[in-house]
Amino acid sequence: MEIGIDSFASALYGSNELTPVVAMEQLLERIELADQVGLDVFGIGEHHKKEFLDSATAVILAAAAAKTKKIRLTSAVTVLSAADPVRVFQSFATLDLISKGRAELVVGRGSSIEAYPLFGFDLDDYDALFREKLDLLLQIRDEEFVTWRGKFRAPINNLPVYPRPLQKKLPVWLGVGGTPESFARAGALGLPLMVAIIGGNTSRFRPLVDLYREAGARAGYKPNELTVGLHSPGFVADNDEKAVEEYYPGYAELWTKLGRERGWPPVTRYQFDSLIAPEGVLVVGGPERVAEKLLHHSEALGGVERFTFQMDNAGLTHLQLMHSIELIGTKVIPLVKAAKA
């Protein structure tokens, strides 16, 4: 199992202690440390909101590429529906050259929808935009000269797209939430699947992951060609008690705030405790508990090849995040590898 981090480049605007410049500097330090301690992948999301600095994902990853040697660098996710697939491919092909073959893409429709009006797209076309643009992106990936026609973009008539990446086939994952059609689409296309689970029990997604594998099998893909990844909130500290003590206050504040915006009830400690229990989605604890939970999640979903923590939206300090990354690299990853062996 590959293990890594996803970040939304959180920035505490209005704070005297953390400016956007410092927040970006600290983010790059965390990516550099993740590379040094042996994490497999680091992803940067895409938002167009004041509290995040990740609107130009490939730029951040390119800066990280210059500071790292081994870690794979990916989007998490690219909101493809509101982007031009040609420019997306060019940006990540360039990243692939800078990183010497370590670039990846996770593409999706986006659960944060602010990109649609910003770039002039209609939310009524939410799924149609994605289907069309994914088709174009995959064609660009597979063919240097492209002939293509669609509804939402000008046609392309036998034109080349440059640069080409160092990797023969730039990895493109499909990022999904809970929509069955998205799981089936990923399987039919033989794309690796990145499942974002942020609440409830992880096992409830097993039927959807099975749907992905069944759709892939019907399309002629072998089981080893169908890769499943899992993205969930989490945090690692020296022990279980310290992890909860440090993580819960910021988590409760964040999700209660989101609840006011989206109609959810406030977060309670009882609810949080159920989410950090073995069946719950939150991967919070000391290294031993976290390693056990990653293995449990993998078993619950029928095998997970990649897990990424989302941990920088819970009010944690840079030092807490750095220590957590160090623990993941030096303790969690060895524990998971030993158990798998």
Side-chain angles (χ1 to χ4, degrees), residues 184 186-188 190 210-223 225-226:
D210 288 344
L211 178 63
Y212 162 70
R213 294 187 172 113
E214 291 163 4
R218 286 195 301 270
Y221 294 99
K222 299 176 182 177
E225 296 177 296
L226 299 170

Side-chain angles (χ1 to χ4, degrees), residues 91-123:
S91 295
F92 280 83
T94 303
L95 171 64
D96 202 50
L97 298 176
I98 295 170
S99 66
K100 298 182 175 64
R102 293 184 281 128
E104 298 187 5
L105 269 163
V106 180
V107 300
R109 297 177 298 182
S111 59
S112 296
I113 58 175
E114 70 277 357
Y116 289 82
L118 182 63
F119 295 109
F121 294 103
D122 193 333
L123 273 172

Side-chain angles (χ1 to χ4, degrees), residues 1-78:
M1 182 192 299
E2 294 180 335
I3 297 176
I5 305 285
D6 286 334
S7 171
F8 297 161
S10 298
L12 302 179
Y13 286 89
S15 167
N16 293 325
E17 298 178 0
L18 188 64
T19 67
V21 170
V22 172
M24 190 66 74
E25 181 181 39
Q26 291 181 350
L27 173 60
L28 293 173
E29 287 178 7
R30 294 197 292 274
I31 302 174
E32 190 172 8
L33 177 63
D35 181 57
Q36 292 170 353
V37 298
L39 272 67
D40 298 292
V41 60
F42 207 107
I44 301 293
E46 180 191 337
H47 298 82
H48 303 270
K49 296 180 177 180
K50 185 176 181 180
E51 61 265 34
F52 302 119
L53 297 172
D54 59 351
S55 63
T57 305
V59 178
I60 299 174
L61 294 173
K67 293 175 171 286
T68 56
K69 296 179 180 179
K70 296 180 179 179
I71 197 167
R72 297 193 67 77
L73 302 166
T74 184
S75 58
V77 301
T78 294

Side-chain angles (χ1 to χ4, degrees), residues 67 103 118 129 144 167 177 203 266 276 309 330:
K67 293 175 171 286
L118 182 63
L129 279 163
E144 184 174 338
Q167 297 176 88
S203 58
I276 64 172
F309 291 84
T330 60

